[in-house]
Structures are given as C-alpha cells and as structure tokens.
Amino acid sequence: MDEIRLNGRSFRKYIDEHEIEKAVERLADTINRDLAGEDEVVFIGILNGSFLFAADLIRRINLNARISFLKLASYEGTSSSGAIRDLIGWNEVVQDKCVVVVEDIVDTGNTLELVVGGLQVRKARKIKVATLLFKPGAYKKSTIPDYVGFEIPNDFVVGYGLDYDGFGRNIPAIYTIVN
Ligand code: 5GP
C-alpha cells in the first residue's frame, strides 16, 4: 500500500521493505568488520522503537555478542522543567566493554545523549551508535552516529517499529506524514 491512515492522519510510503533489508545488511557487515577484533560486544537496543531494527540487525551479527534493551521512561517531574526522561533497565554490565547502541531514529539527539552519558558513567570502554534513521536537520549535538541506515528530512515517519500515537509499529515499511 502506498498510502495508509493512522489515527486520522495520512502517511505515504517512503522506504520499502527491500531498501530497509539492504540497509540493515550493510550496517551489520560494517559492524562485523569494524568490531571483529573485540572479544565481546554488548548490543543495547532502545525501546520501544528499535525492537524490529534490533532484531533484524542482531541476526546478521557474527561477533561474540550480548543483547540487552533499555527503555525510555517519560514522567512529569515536580520541577518546573516539565517532563523528565529517564532510562530504565540497566541490567547489563558494560564496564570495560565495547557497546553498540541500537536506535530506531536519531532526531534532536537528546535520547542518544542520555544513553551515551549513562554508558560513560558506567565506564563502557568503547561506545558505537547504530541508527536506522538519522535526521541531520533536527540534530542538535556534535557526535554523529557511527552507523546510519538512512539520512532523512525533518519529517515525521512511522512504521518498522516507529509509532504514531502508539500505532503503526507493526508496519514493515517506513511511511512519512502527508501534510
Ligand atoms: P531525539 O531524542 O533524538 O529527539 O528523538 C528520539 C526519539 O524520538 C526516537 O527514539 C523516537 O521515539 C522519537 N522520534 C523522533 N523522530 C520521530 C519520527 O519521525 N517518528 C517517530 N515515530 N518517532 C520519532
């Protein structure tokens, strides 16, 4: 289907399943090559959005790998600064480890900064970032993700793990909003 509707909004097909598969394959090949010298690599997916990308990427990884997930929790704080965002699920020991963060999309970079900060505090030795989608136009930080599937414009996308109001994560292709 070239156009879909979710919760009253229209989205048109932007990246099809085949293009996604090719990009995931390319990223996995690069990661396998880059990190071939590591004894152990810890992959950390950021939930909810990364669950499909993480599953597809990790299947193609031939390194000695551990896989774990962190979840971004948003709640209203007591301060005037509004919503506080926190990461929960730090179960995996990352100290002195080589870590690959697996993100669905990097937009402003705030989430990534939180994840990378958490890994630095926990003394990860090497931190790499793989993201399926990257919006350079929205990005406000200085460190560019190491492995990027697609650079996309600053438009809202859904599908392949990404949601609109909770819907659309199950759609196998990526769709962009029709304004
Ligand atoms: P950042 O912290 O980089 O601004 O945004 C990261 C998070 O915002 C992503 O993990 C994702 O949940 C959400 N996000 C950013 N852009 C989009 C988008 O175009 N579509 C959807 N569905 N989520 C997005």
Side-chain angles (χ1 to χ4, degrees):
M1 245 192 307
D2 284 340
E3 195 155 321
I4 55 165
R5 279 184 78 78
L6 295 168
N7 245 14
R9 297 297 299 261
S10 296
F11 298 83
R12 78 179 147 71
K13 195 178 266 184
Y14 180 52
I15 306 173
D16 71 27
E17 287 115 297
H18 184 65
E19 290 174 282
I20 295 173
E21 197 184 323
K22 286 279 157 220
V24 173
E25 198 178 309
R26 172 173 56 79
L27 295 180
D29 288 350
T30 311
I31 293 169
N32 283 332
R33 212 177 319 118
D34 276 8
L35 303 181
E38 299 288 340
D39 288 344
E40 185 185 318
V41 181
V42 182
F43 287 82
I44 298 187
I46 311 303
L47 295 174
N48 293 327
S50 80
F51 75 104
L52 286 182
F53 174 47
D56 287 346
L57 181 76
I58 283 160
R59 250 185 287 213
R60 296 180 181 277
I61 294 297
N62 57 24
L63 306 166
N64 188 35
R66 285 175 184 272
I67 294 121
S68 187
F69 290 90
L70 290 172
K71 188 172 166 70
L72 195 67
S74 267
Y75 49 92
E76 292 304 312
T78 48
S79 74
S80 57
S81 59
I84 293 174
R85 279 147 61 87
D86 198 7
L87 283 162
I88 53 174
W90 288 100
N91 304 319
E92 196 69 37
V93 175
V94 296
Q95 186 161 349
D96 300 326
K97 301 275 173 69
C98 170
V99 177
V100 179
V101 177
V102 182
E103 271 272 30
D104 49 349
I105 185 164
V106 174
D107 187 37
T108 62
N110 290 335
T111 308
L112 195 56
E113 188 176 62
L114 202 62
V115 176
V116 170
L119 290 169
Q120 284 167 340
V121 165
R122 289 166 179 81
K123 301 192 169 55
R125 175 174 50 81
K126 190 188 270 188
I127 303 169
K128 298 283 187 185
V129 176
T131 185
L132 182 68
L133 304 172
F134 178 46
K135 291 181 179 171
Y139 197 60
K140 294 194 172 68
K141 312 290 172 188
S142 49
T143 349
I144 303 299
D146 302 275
Y147 310 109
V148 174
F150 302 94
E151 287 197 358
I152 64 167
N154 202 3
D155 298 321
F156 190 80
V157 291
V158 294
Y160 194 68
L162 289 150
D163 74 308
Y164 173 57
D165 271 354
F167 293 100
R169 295 194 197 276
N170 54 315
I171 297 166
I174 292 169
Y175 286 71
T176 189
I177 200 152
V178 178
N179 291 308

